[in-house]
Amino acid sequence: MLLEALGSALLGLGLGWAATVRLPRRFPSRALVLPTGIAGALFGAFLTHTALGSGHALATLAGAVVVGVAFLSLLLRPQPEPADQRRRRSPRPDRAGLAGSGTHI
């Protein structure tokens, strides 16, 4: 059980590091992402170990990876749009002319 916990913590650290290297603009600071990956992987290992029992080390590590990725996905920010592709919103039409016209929208 100790090796499962250590292995899942290392997997979570690796997941957090890979996330910050692969998508640096979409994640907050590395100081937040790395502990989140570790905590998610440890929680996933705990959950999987509790559900399956001892003797399922690979399944426990797989559960740690799945839950670690799910925790890290909660930190993702929307992808920023390039400045030239941003849509400019047209001004909202004036609804003052419609107030007394009797038309229903």
Side-chain angles (χ1 to χ4, degrees):
M1 183 161 156
L2 182 64
L3 289 177
E4 289 175 355
L6 182 62
S8 65
L10 288 175
L11 283 172
L13 182 65
L15 286 171
W17 177 81
T20 57
V21 169
R22 180 101 169 120
L23 300 167
R25 292 184 179 185
R26 295 195 56 196
F27 279 103
S29 71
R30 190 174 283 188
L32 178 65
V33 174
L34 294 179
T36 302
I38 294 171
L42 284 172
F43 183 67
F46 170 73
L47 224 66
T48 310
H49 183 81
T50 301
L52 299 178
S54 60
H56 299 91
L58 291 177
T60 301
L61 293 177
V65 168
V66 168
V67 176
V69 168
F71 270 40
L72 287 173
S73 73
L74 297 174
L75 296 177
L76 272 175
R77 291 186 237 169
Q79 187 170 1
E81 295 180 17
D84 58 339
Q85 292 183 359
R86 289 187 186 145
R87 292 184 182 176
R88 294 181 183 225
R89 295 186 179 191
S90 60
R92 192 171 183 187
D94 187 22
R95 299 189 77 152
L98 297 177
S101 66
T103 59
H104 298 285
I105 298 177

